[in-house]
Amino acid sequence: MQKFSMFFCLLCFGTIFSQNTISGKIVDENNMALEKSHIHISSKSTNSKKDGTFIIRNIPNGSAKVLITYVGYKPIDTIIEVNGNLEINFQMKQKSEQLEEIVVKHKNNYFNHSVSEQKIKEKTIEKFSSQSLGNVLKEVSGISILKSGSTIVKPVINGLHSSRVGIYNNNVKLEDQQWGTEHAPNFDVNAAGKITVLKGASGLQYGGDAIGGIVIIEPFSTKKDTLFGKTIMTMESNGRGGTISSSLHKGNFCDWSWNAQGSFKYYGDRESPDYMLSNTGNREANFSGDVKYIGKKFDFSAYYSLYNATIGILSASHIGNVTDLENSIDNQIPSTVRDFTYSIKNPKQQVQHHLAKLNYNYYIKDGESIGLQYAFQFNNRKEFDLRTGVSDSRAALDLNLMTHTFNADYKLSIDTWDFKSGIMGLFQNNSANPNTGVRPLIPSYNKFDAGVYAIVDNHISDDFSVEAGIRYDFSTIEATKYYLKSRWNERNYSPEFNHFIEGDFGTQWLTKPTFTFHNFSASVGTQYSFGNEYEWYFNISRAVRNPNPSEFFSDGLHHSSGMIELGDLRLKQEKSNKISTSLQKQWKNFKVNINPFLNYIQDYMFLKPVGFETTIRGAFPVWEYQQINALLTGIDLNSEWQINEHWQHRLLLSYVNGKDKTNDDFIIDMPPLNINNRISFNKKDWNNLTLELQSEMVFRQTQFPNNNFITNIIVDGELTPVEVDISSPPAAYHLLHFASDFQFKIANNSMATLGFSVFNLLDTKYRDYLNRQRFYTDELGRNFQIQLKINY
């Protein structure tokens, strides 16, 4: 193996025809020498001397990639042309200390200079190693979470979720049946090295349909020429289980680097303060890895990830009929409470998601490049029901989603101008297994998308920039679906959609609905810095989202949620017109960011409860996709205060008002006002001890529509009409959380961090308005967590 490594390096370094020497000096902003700066040019590397000077020999003619790093300073990453001996001096800028995970940059990689990007740093991601992506994103102001129980969590950005929020894993949009409110993103948070949130539809290079915003997940990457890794082990009392995650990273071995990461989660039933939440365990076994080669004029990478999860659905939420729903709401206790167990029975979800990606970037010259990317995704979703006369291993819903995407992007930077354009193509096939014994909620379909975009950014001065972009998307979808004739007539689809009918099968029509869309999206905005302490962003954007397959074609009982969902073939495109601004003020020890927004959405699609329907299993609530004109207004506020050397304070505040302008009413499922305070203490001399106390205040939602309905239930052996209250939000609640950790050395090159946390410190009993299971049970009670992280 050692001989092979030596031979491989000789191949990398041996083809040198022109021997050039590059020398220079590395200094800081005050022109003071930076000793031991790491300089990497082409395939050669060295460290600067005490006076900051360096010399690297045997550099061939042509373009050479230069990377200079120094602890506490921003890295220099550029390309130079070598045609002889060169002397180049570099000045490095010190990194500004950040109080928390939100970082605002003047220039970024996403061509969104008119909106403040919000980042979640690695330490925060590690803290949530045992939880979901949605729980991590909640650390950003303006993001709430939509839940179905304790483990199925979706992010809500400024009141919008699901298909309106694009989640990009390593520059690939996750296609994982994201239409369902009870479908969590199929992503393991341990695979994230950095997470960036862009609110609104300004990220046109990613797509024109992200009305709510974009979550960009980047894997861990390193340019260090060394092998290192980490292991995180977490144990929790609530669920009586834990998580283990390990990763290894190797960088710059003859310009090759690779990363590998795996995690395993195992939990049993969760508990509320008063009772067990039966059948709420979950399992996960995940893996991700990549390999990358960085050449003189190009780089190439390959990436693969696997997400594999089994998720129990609360037994008490699986109602047999609308009477069970009324009893659950009225009694305020679960209908089913059993002893703790690790077993996961029906109802449950089994989800497996594969993602494979190839990426190639060619650097034409300094500031000009072309990128090509192909990605393949395969998602299998199975939902298991409580069924009589059928094997437990037979899913009631079995969907296979296969997605191919291709992207080509061109970037050009000239003086104060940045330009980016590209094209995108997508082919998607969804196959509904016909052997479930149940009519599929979502039919088989084929979908084709194509898009083209262009974005230009002009840095008029160091303090002022203007950005504008436009995008066109073409989309077509063709489904194969059997409609009961009674449902077809009930929805009054004749004669408007009779041309979709392909065959007559007695009580059913065989149909092939086909829809084609042409969408234009645009964004324009500015960024302005003034007074050396103020940063102002302003953005106007227009985005268009097509109805997804669930909104078009849903037709039947959704077994994991115990309700009948009905789509509508008449749905139109959803059109968002958003104005947002952000003002940031930075003092020496205090920073505040205020972000108000206004979002007017034409033909806003939402799921509305409309009554109940009787089936052979009983009467179930019916939810129907409808459209209105919606106005969403709100404000996000966050501040960070370095009180003194050891004490810090952080405040997050978010408020959204959702108005139904069509009916002069409120919109369902809007997050209520929430205020999050955290005070922390850090003492580096005490093994970097950190203590934190967090206050989470969620107010009662007072702005909601009345969707209650009247039904007959059996009372004392007789049918009695009652009003089923599915609209009234639960009471406000206040939670306290405690967290602590400290570091210690376990070997020469290994450090460990031991953490102890308590979530819901006071074991508060509460229910959350954005939890789809709030009708059946309380939220989680107190949870003790011990976490050990080892770096090596």
Side-chain angles (χ1 to χ4, degrees), residues 48 89 190 652 736:
S48 60
N89 298 325
N190 293 287
L652 301 179
L736 289 177

Side-chain angles (χ1 to χ4, degrees), residues 620-633:
F620 288 89
V622 177
W623 294 63
E624 177 182 274
Y625 284 102
Q626 295 186 3
Q627 287 188 297
I628 58 172
N629 290 332
L631 179 64
L632 275 62
T633 56

Side-chain angles (χ1 to χ4, degrees), residues 305-449:
S305 70
L306 167 67
Y307 176 86
N308 189 24
T310 299
I311 305 168
I313 304 297
L314 177 73
S315 296
S317 70
H318 197 81
I319 60 176
N321 51 54
V322 75
T323 302
D324 295 341
L325 175 61
E326 166 62 19
N327 290 336
S328 294
I329 295 173
D330 188 53
N331 297 332
Q332 289 288 292
I333 58 173
S335 59
T336 303
V337 177
R338 295 188 289 263
D339 292 335
F340 173 86
T341 178
Y342 286 103
S343 65
I344 300 177
K345 300 179 181 179
N346 294 350
K348 64 183 178 183
Q349 297 180 3
Q350 288 183 352
V351 183
Q352 191 175 94
H353 187 82
H354 301 263
L355 188 158
K357 187 195 83 165
L358 299 174
N359 181 267
Y360 174 82
N361 294 299
Y362 181 73
Y363 302 96
I364 302 170
K365 59 182 180 181
D366 189 17
E368 185 176 12
S369 64
I370 294 176
L372 303 174
Q373 177 178 291
Y374 166 76
F376 171 78
Q377 297 179 73
F378 178 77
N379 184 274
N380 174 242
R381 164 169 288 275
K382 294 181 179 179
E383 298 185 2
F384 296 83
D385 189 13
L386 290 173
R387 304 163 69 184
T388 58
V390 179
S391 170
D392 282 347
S393 62
R394 188 176 177 184
L397 180 69
D398 187 354
L399 301 175
N400 291 315
L401 183 68
M402 181 176 63
T403 307
H404 300 268
T405 55
F406 173 79
N407 298 79
D409 298 286
Y410 171 76
K411 298 179 184 178
L412 176 64
S413 295
I414 302 177
D415 297 327
T416 61
W417 291 86
D418 292 330
F419 175 77
K420 184 175 182 179
S421 65
I423 59 174
M424 179 278 292
L426 175 147
F427 173 76
Q428 187 173 84
N429 170 262
N430 184 69
S431 176
N433 186 348
N435 299 318
T436 61
V438 178
R439 295 176 65 248
L441 178 71
I442 301 298
S444 298
Y445 65 84
N446 289 324
K447 182 183 178 186
F448 173 75
D449 292 344

Side-chain angles (χ1 to χ4, degrees), residues 749-792:
N749 296 317
S750 297
M751 291 292 294
T753 302
L754 181 63
F756 173 73
S757 304
V758 186
F759 299 92
N760 194 357
L761 183 65
L762 302 180
D763 205 23
T764 301
K765 178 179 177 180
Y766 70 102
R767 298 193 179 196
D768 191 279
Y769 179 58
L770 293 185
N771 192 334
R772 300 300 294 271
Q773 294 182 358
R774 65 182 171 87
F775 304 120
Y776 313 106
T777 183
D778 294 331
E779 298 285 341
L780 294 184
R782 185 186 295 116
N783 182 28
F784 295 97
Q785 175 183 289
I786 298 176
Q787 185 179 84
L788 176 65
K789 182 184 74 170
I790 302 174
N791 292 311
Y792 41 85

Side-chain angles (χ1 to χ4, degrees), residues 561-572:
S561 58
M563 64 187 192
I564 294 171
E565 295 180 10
L566 298 178
D568 194 337
L569 297 178
R570 299 182 183 86
L571 293 178
K572 305 173 184 176

Side-chain angles (χ1 to χ4, degrees), residues 70 196 217 257 359 459 532 547 664 717 783:
Y70 190 80
T196 305
I217 304 166
S257 62
N359 181 267
H459 303 280
N532 297 321
D664 192 24
N783 182 28

Side-chain angles (χ1 to χ4, degrees), residues 423-658:
I423 59 174
M424 179 278 292
L426 175 147
F427 173 76
Q428 187 173 84
N429 170 262
N430 184 69
S431 176
N433 186 348
N435 299 318
T436 61
V438 178
R439 295 176 65 248
L441 178 71
I442 301 298
S444 298
Y445 65 84
N446 289 324
K447 182 183 178 186
F448 173 75
D449 292 344
V452 58
Y453 73 91
I455 305 171
V456 63
D457 184 13
N458 182 15
H459 303 280
I460 298 173
S461 68
D462 291 340
D463 300 323
F464 183 59
S465 65
V466 177
E467 178 190 81
I470 189 169
R471 183 182 179 102
Y472 165 75
D473 287 284
F474 167 83
S475 181
T476 181
I477 182 171
E478 180 182 281
T480 301
K481 178 175 178 57
Y482 287 89
Y483 274 99
L484 289 172
K485 291 181 178 180
S486 57
R487 180 75 74 191
W488 185 269
N489 295 331
E490 172 197 306
R491 305 298 292 171
N492 196 27
Y493 284 155
S494 294
E496 186 177 356
F497 299 113
N498 280 348
H499 61 284
F500 290 155
I501 298 175
E502 295 280 329
D504 187 341
F505 288 81
T507 60
Q508 300 183 89
W509 294 119
L510 171 61
T511 68
K512 288 196 174 181
T514 303
F515 297 93
T516 299
F517 301 98
H518 301 272
N519 299 339
F520 288 92
S521 305
S523 174
V524 62
T526 63
Q527 181 270 335
Y528 180 52
S529 302
F530 54 98
N532 297 321
E533 297 175 342
Y534 290 91
E535 195 92 10
W536 177 63
Y537 297 85
F538 179 79
N539 180 267
I540 301 175
S541 62
R542 177 177 173 83
V544 181
R545 185 180 74 88
N546 303 326
N548 62 42
S550 173
E551 293 160 334
F552 265 143
F553 308 123
S554 287
D555 178 21
L557 183 63
H558 201 167
H559 296 271
S560 67
S561 58
M563 64 187 192
I564 294 171
E565 295 180 10
L566 298 178
D568 194 337
L569 297 178
R570 299 182 183 86
L571 293 178
K572 305 173 184 176
Q573 297 149 296
E574 194 174 72
K575 297 166 283 291
S576 165
N577 302 279
K578 184 173 184 179
I579 299 175
S580 66
T581 187
S582 178
L583 180 64
Q584 178 176 294
K585 177 72 166 70
Q586 174 77 63
W587 289 272
K588 182 178 180 180
N589 296 317
F590 186 76
K591 180 172 69 175
V592 62
N593 187 296
I594 302 173
N595 174 211
F597 65 90
L598 182 151
N599 194 357
Y600 181 74
I601 306 176
Q602 297 172 272
D603 298 315
Y604 173 82
M605 288 172 271
F606 69 106
L607 201 55
K608 178 180 179 178
V610 294
F612 69 96
E613 183 174 302
T614 302
T615 71
I616 58 174
R617 286 187 48 190
F620 288 89
V622 177
W623 294 63
E624 177 182 274
Y625 284 102
Q626 295 186 3
Q627 287 188 297
I628 58 172
N629 290 332
L631 179 64
L632 275 62
T633 56
I635 187 169
D636 303 328
L637 183 148
N638 58 270
S639 68
E640 299 168 351
W641 179 22
Q642 184 77 44
I643 302 172
N644 57 36
E645 181 183 358
H646 303 296
W647 291 92
Q648 298 178 3
H649 175 267
R650 185 197 71 169
L651 167 69
L652 301 179
L653 181 150
S654 299
Y655 171 75
V656 180
N657 176 273

